[in-house]
Amino acid sequence: MTAQDFETGRVVTLRGIVRKLCTEHDDRLPFHGWHHIAFVAAKGVEFARRNGSDTEIVAAAALVHDLNYLVRKNSEPSAGESLRAHQLRRSGFTDAEIDRIEAVIAESHTASRTCEISPEGAALSDADTLFKAVPITPVVLSHRYLAENDISLGQLARKIVDEQAPLVEEGIYFYDPDARARYLPWATANLDLWKSLLDSLDDPDVKELLRSVNVR
């Protein structure tokens, strides 16, 4: 079964709205576009069903969690709060539900999440984190993140290591035990890659190589 098999009418409406937004602004979302959102929504519902949390809230949160990138490049989730509320309200969610969805998005944010998290936040976090850890992401999608957010390769590497390494050390990279067992090796390999990349940037010949291929 897919995430859509468990979607309510409101989530179906929201899915259509967000997909249309992503299509209209595809050039602005090479990394956080529909491919990312659809993946996170599907996995979020899967993890929500496993931990017994509210699948509708998780699905809705997953669909709107990165709309901040339509508001401002390289922004925090809070930048998209008004846009999210507008699209959620259009889809039939109440103000109380919108507040709850906003809280789930805030608590699942990679840069600030902790061991204190709701089941819905854990499901969203695990889905979004898995997208980061999938082995194809650094190979196929990293250049898209650089273009979307107008940052350098070194800045991206530092962001990944600074935000994600502590989560591995604290045992909360994934909250779901099955996800941790299945996917943590991917995550640690990914972090080792970015740590090595940071180390390589201290080599002057590597710096020259990057300059020669017009990579910041």
Side-chain angles (χ1 to χ4, degrees):
M1 290 186 178
T2 66
Q4 291 93 318
D5 294 318
F6 301 95
E7 288 181 353
T8 64
R10 296 189 300 180
V11 172
V12 170
T13 299
L14 181 62
R15 172 180 285 272
I17 289 171
V18 173
R19 186 165 192 171
K20 185 172 185 291
L21 275 174
C22 289
T23 300
E24 289 173 348
H25 301 284
D26 183 62
D27 59 329
R28 295 170 56 194
L29 298 171
F31 186 89
H32 290 106
W34 183 248
H35 57 281
H36 169 73
I37 291 169
F39 179 95
V40 174
K43 286 296 184 183
V45 168
E46 177 185 328
F47 294 138
R49 292 181 63 234
R50 285 221 296 253
N51 73 12
S53 58
D54 188 326
T55 57
E56 185 180 40
I57 292 295
V58 172
L63 288 169
V64 300
H65 76 287
D66 276 338
L67 290 186
N68 52 291
Y69 291 102
L70 281 177
V71 177
R72 189 170 66 250
K73 286 184 177 183
N74 202 26
S75 60
E76 295 296 304
S78 57
E81 184 173 354
S82 294
L83 179 58
R84 283 193 293 271
H86 176 64
Q87 307 306 341
L88 288 163
R89 203 168 283 117
R90 286 178 64 196
S91 304
F93 288 88
T94 67
D95 287 347
E97 289 169 325
I98 291 169
D99 288 344
R100 186 179 176 201
I101 290 166
E102 196 63 36
V104 167
I105 292 169
E107 68 178 342
S108 68
H109 184 41
T110 303
S112 55
R113 63 186 175 85
T114 69
C115 60
E116 299 295 326
I117 194 168
S118 71
E120 289 78 15
L124 175 58
S125 175
D126 282 352
D128 197 30
T129 298
L130 178 56
F131 186 86
K132 298 175 175 71
V134 170
I136 68 165
T137 297
V139 177
V140 177
L141 298 171
S142 291
H143 71 289
R144 294 187 173 203
Y145 191 98
L146 300 178
E148 179 181 297
N149 293 288
D150 194 24
I151 62 174
S152 70
L153 188 60
Q155 287 173 311
L156 176 57
R158 175 53 61 194
K159 174 182 174 65
I160 290 170
V161 172
D162 286 352
E163 290 182 0
Q164 298 182 34
L167 300 176
V168 173
E169 294 166 5
E170 294 169 27
I172 56 170
Y173 194 88
F174 292 108
Y175 296 95
D176 181 270
D178 291 338
R180 189 181 305 121
R182 175 70 179 89
Y183 303 123
L184 191 58
W186 293 359
T188 54
N190 183 59
L191 277 170
D192 286 343
L193 170 66
W194 289 103
K195 288 174 182 176
S196 295
L197 190 152
L198 273 178
D199 182 56
S200 75
L201 294 180
D202 291 330
D203 187 308
D205 292 319
V206 171
K207 290 180 180 178
E208 180 57 35
L209 174 61
L210 287 175
R211 282 193 291 268
S212 71
V213 293
N214 297 316
V215 174
R216 288 198 292 145

